[in-house]
């Protein structure tokens, strides 16, 4: 019985060897000894790289492209090529994702992530060839899966490919939110309200004009993200260790880039200077800056939504956000602007992530930046959370916003700021006196103008129409003379 238990225990592990010696690896694991040590060394965030499937499929695409290129160059035999390619295709389809277990933040410039991929692909390829996991004499993680490669060109390329996928999902989510604001802009096109500067009454506008600005801001940033995506299409695959291409054959860099473009559908290009490309994190800093721009403007928009909906009776109360949950454990009937609030918090995180990326990009030394794991983690969080925030803001907030028309109209009629619109019709001196008396007495500009006989009710109502107040118009003759 004891012998049976020992045999059972031995069957649960396999022994693998690396620079530091032998280690037992779980027998059913597709990862190997390098991955095992990385898991032990970096219990940092509790978030495995498997949480970012774009990164996993990018790694698999790179390994597949490398195998195909090495085969075409006569370096890798057909049987091993076929097995590696098949394993990579399965991973890109979503299989074995749970085997990518190293923490997203790690020392070693991403070596642990690269070796995790090499080992999983090698062991799955071994199975496809009819061998047991760990029988690396038939197909080796370094010798075959990592052929003509280094972590230093694989890892940054994987980040760029993964980020490219994520950017366009974010752009789609931003477009979804932009359409929601555009629809509200059209719905509110005839609702007059007071515009404000420095939180003080300014001049009239329409609620539709106000909402259109949020749509325009999103549209601008969609274009900035697309511009940033062009920078990360330039990759250093084929650079190997520092950009000199050591241990890669002539023509490999261009060939593997073409193969990777075909696999991913991304129009990738080989950097004209692979040494520069291997050490420079400028494209990541640029992308992070654009993500911060998106976050800052989204947060400003959410601040506006919270202000405009404040109250409902003791605040501005101009719009109503849809009620999505009870707002208080102590105050009955209270409903809070929880959706704009969560987007604000996403923005704060993205701004912080940009600072992290900036320090990490600056912190590289000489021919390599070893801090790309934290760059990757920061970028992926920013892209993912911004995308989710845009979708939630559109579907659970903006689409359900309603306007308090009477409240908006009353604020315009009672605002002193409306006197600016009347200035061309009643003259600056009269407008100043009306403003002074309205402020002192609390009476409306509308009533004071009628009381003094400066304009008839019909003329005043005509001037205060949205189409007159909210766009350039010919000046009255009296103002021109």
């Amino acid at each position: 019985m004891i012998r049976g238990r020992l045999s059972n225990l031995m069957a649960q592990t396999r022994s693998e060897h690396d620079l530091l010696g032998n280690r037992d690896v779980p027998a059913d694991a597709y990862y190997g000894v390098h991955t095992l040590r990385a898991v032990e060394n970096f219990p940092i965030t509790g978030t495995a790289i498997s949480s970012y499937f774009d990164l996993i499929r990018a790694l698999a695409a790179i390994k597949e492209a490398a195998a195909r290129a090495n085969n075409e160059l006569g370096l890798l035999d057909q049987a091993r090529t076929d097995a590696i390619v098949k394993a990579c295709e399965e991973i890109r389809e979503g299989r074995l994702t749970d085997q990518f277990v190293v923490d997203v933040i790690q020392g070693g410039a991403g070596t642990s992530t690269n070796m995790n991929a090499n080992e999983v692909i090698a062991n799955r390829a071994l199975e496809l060839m009819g061998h047991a996991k760990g029988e690396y004499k038939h197909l080796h993680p370094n010798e075959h899966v990592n052929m003509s490669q280094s972590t230093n060109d694989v890892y940054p390329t994987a980040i760029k490919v993964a980020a490219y996928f994520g950017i366009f999902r974010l752009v789609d989510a931003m477009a979804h939110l932009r359409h929601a604001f555009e629809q509200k802009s059209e719905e509110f096109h005839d609702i007059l309200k007071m515009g404000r500067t420095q939180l003080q009454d300014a001049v009239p506008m329409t609620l539709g004009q106000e909402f259109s600005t949020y749509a325009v801001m999103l549209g601008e940033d969609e274009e900035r993200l697309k511009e940033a995506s062009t920078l990360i299409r330039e990759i250093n695959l084929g650079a190997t260790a520092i950009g000199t291409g050591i241990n890669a054959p002539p023509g490999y860099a261009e060939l593997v880039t073409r193969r990777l473009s075909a696999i991913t559908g991304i129009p990738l290009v080989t950097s004209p200077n692979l040494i520069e490309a291997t050490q420079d994190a400028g494209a990541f800093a640029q992308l992070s800056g654009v993500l911060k721009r998106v976050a800052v403007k989204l947060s400003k928009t959410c601040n506006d939504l919270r202000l405009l909906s404040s109250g409902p009776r003791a605040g501005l109360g101009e719009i109503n956000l849809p009620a999505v949950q009870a707002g208080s454990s102590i105050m009955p009937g209270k409903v809070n602007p929880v959706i704009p609030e969560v987007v604000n918090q996403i923005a704060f995180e993205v701004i912080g992530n940009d600072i992290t990326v900036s320090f990490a990009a600056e912190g590289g030394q000489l021919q390599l930046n070893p801090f790309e794991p934290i760059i990757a983690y920061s970028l992926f969080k920013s892209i993912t959370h911004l995308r989710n925030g845009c979708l939630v803001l559109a579907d659970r907030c903006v689409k359900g916003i309603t306007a308090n028309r009477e409240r908006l109209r009353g604020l315009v009629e009672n605002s002193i700021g409306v006197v600016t619109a009347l200035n061309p019709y009643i003259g600056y001196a009269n407008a100043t006196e009306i403003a002074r008396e309205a402020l002192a007495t609390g009476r409306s500009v509308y009533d004071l103008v009628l009381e003094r006989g400066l304009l008839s009710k019909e003329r005043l109502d005509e001037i205060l129409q949205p189409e007159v107040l909210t766009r350039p118009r010919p000046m009255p003759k009296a103002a021109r003379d």
Side-chain angles (χ1 to χ4, degrees):
M1 183 179 292
I2 293 175
R3 183 177 300 169
R5 285 178 182 171
L6 288 173
S7 176
N8 228 6
L9 185 60
M10 290 174 62
Q12 292 174 2
T13 63
R14 66 177 188 268
S15 180
E16 291 197 13
H17 181 82
D18 68 355
L19 173 70
L20 303 182
N22 294 327
R23 284 297 305 270
D24 287 335
V25 178
D28 61 349
Y30 285 86
Y31 58 81
V33 61
H34 294 90
T35 303
L36 180 66
R37 292 194 194 279
V39 170
E40 294 170 345
N41 288 334
F42 308 122
I44 307 302
T45 68
T47 300
I49 58 173
S50 59
S51 299
Y52 297 100
F53 180 64
D54 282 342
L55 180 62
I56 304 308
R57 66 170 176 153
L59 288 163
I62 291 166
K63 300 299 177 180
E64 179 181 338
R68 292 184 183 277
N70 285 319
N71 176 255
E72 291 180 49
L73 294 168
L75 300 177
L76 189 64
D77 64 86
Q78 195 63 51
R80 289 190 177 100
T81 299
D82 291 344
I84 291 172
V85 167
K86 177 62 176 173
C88 290
E89 288 174 342
E90 291 179 354
I91 290 168
R92 290 195 293 113
E93 292 167 359
R95 292 187 58 182
L96 302 181
T97 303
D98 63 336
Q99 297 297 304
F100 291 82
V101 293
V102 298
D103 198 279
V104 286
I105 298 182
Q106 55 195 249
T111 297
S112 297
T113 292
N114 187 36
M115 284 307 304
N116 196 165
N118 288 335
E119 290 174 339
V120 172
I121 292 166
N123 281 306
R124 177 55 185 149
L126 284 168
E127 281 187 335
L128 292 168
M129 296 173 71
H131 303 294
K133 300 183 188 73
E135 293 187 347
Y136 296 139
K137 63 182 179 181
H138 302 291
L139 189 151
H140 197 277
N142 294 81
E143 299 291 343
H144 301 114
V145 180
N146 200 61
M147 181 182 287
S148 304
Q149 304 155 62
S150 164
T151 293
N152 301 347
D153 61 349
V154 167
Y155 189 68
T157 298
I159 298 172
K160 288 182 175 182
V161 169
Y164 190 93
F165 290 139
I167 285 171
F168 283 93
R169 280 200 300 274
L170 172 56
V171 168
D172 289 343
M174 291 170 65
H176 181 66
L177 177 58
R178 172 169 52 82
H179 293 321
F181 277 120
E182 288 170 345
Q183 290 168 358
K184 286 298 167 182
S185 176
E186 178 61 28
E187 180 182 339
F188 300 151
H189 77 279
D190 62 338
I191 302 178
L192 196 63
K193 62 158 290 173
M194 284 304 299
R196 297 178 179 85
T197 57
Q198 296 159 278
L199 292 180
Q200 307 299 306
D201 294 352
V203 296
M205 65 186 302
T206 68
L207 189 60
Q209 286 175 320
E210 189 162 44
F211 272 68
S212 73
T213 63
Y214 306 138
V216 170
M217 287 194 292
L218 282 160
E220 289 177 344
D221 284 352
E222 289 170 46
E223 294 306 311
R224 300 297 81 76
L225 275 172
K226 291 174 185 176
E227 291 169 2
S229 75
T230 63
L231 294 179
I232 65 170
R233 291 193 293 107
E234 182 181 295
I235 61 173
N236 73 328
L237 199 58
T240 66
I242 65 169
T244 61
I246 190 171
N247 291 349
Y252 169 80
E254 293 74 17
L255 179 58
V256 74
T257 297
R258 288 200 302 272
R259 294 291 167 263
L260 184 57
S261 291
I263 292 166
T264 61
I266 302 172
L268 300 165
V269 295
T270 299
S271 172
N273 188 316
L274 292 176
I275 296 177
E276 178 275 334
T278 302
Q279 64 183 273
D280 180 34
F284 297 135
Q286 167 75 8
L287 173 57
S288 181
V290 175
L291 294 171
K292 180 182 75 172
R293 170 184 166 134
V294 174
V296 166
K297 292 164 75 173
L298 266 181
S299 191
K300 188 273 180 190
T301 297
C302 287
N303 291 342
D304 286 1
L305 295 179
R306 291 190 295 113
L307 275 172
L308 294 172
S309 64
S310 60
R313 295 187 179 180
L316 295 184
E318 295 186 352
I319 63 173
N320 307 299
L321 306 185
V324 295
Q325 65 183 58
S328 174
S329 61
I330 190 173
M331 293 172 279
K334 192 171 188 291
V335 177
N336 294 326
V338 294
I339 302 301
E341 287 172 351
V342 78
V343 176
N344 282 131
Q345 292 173 79
I346 291 169
F348 306 156
E349 178 194 37
V350 172
I351 294 166
N353 289 341
D354 180 60
I355 295 173
T356 299
V357 171
S358 299
F359 274 108
E362 180 274 337
Q365 307 89 18
L366 303 177
Q367 279 69 59
L368 182 68
N369 188 310
F371 306 122
E372 286 179 347
I374 192 67
I375 290 175
Y377 186 41
S378 300
L379 289 176
F380 295 155
K381 284 193 300 180
S382 292
I383 291 170
T384 301
H385 295 175
L386 281 172
R387 174 184 180 272
N388 294 343
C390 285
L391 295 175
V392 166
L393 184 60
D395 294 336
R396 301 194 64 79
C397 182
V398 176
K399 289 183 178 180
I401 291 174
T402 58
N404 293 323
R405 289 175 176 264
E406 294 306 314
R407 167 74 170 166
L408 289 159
R409 180 76 186 189
L411 288 173
V412 172
E413 292 178 352
N414 289 315
S415 172
I416 296 170
V418 77
V419 79
T420 302
L422 301 178
N423 185 46
Y425 301 91
I426 64 176
Y428 186 84
N430 284 329
T432 300
E433 183 59 27
I434 290 289
R436 185 198 62 77
E437 185 173 350
L439 185 61
T441 64
R443 299 182 64 192
S444 74
V445 168
Y446 187 94
D447 289 342
L448 289 171
V449 169
L450 291 179
E451 182 179 285
R452 295 190 178 200
L454 296 173
L455 292 169
S456 67
K457 186 177 186 307
E458 292 73 22
R459 183 60 172 146
L460 185 56
D461 288 339
E462 180 184 343
I463 294 169
L464 294 181
Q465 290 180 44
E467 59 269 22
V468 177
L469 284 176
T470 59
R471 56 179 58 91
R473 62 190 186 276
M475 297 291 287
K477 184 177 186 302
R480 298 197 303 266
D481 292 341

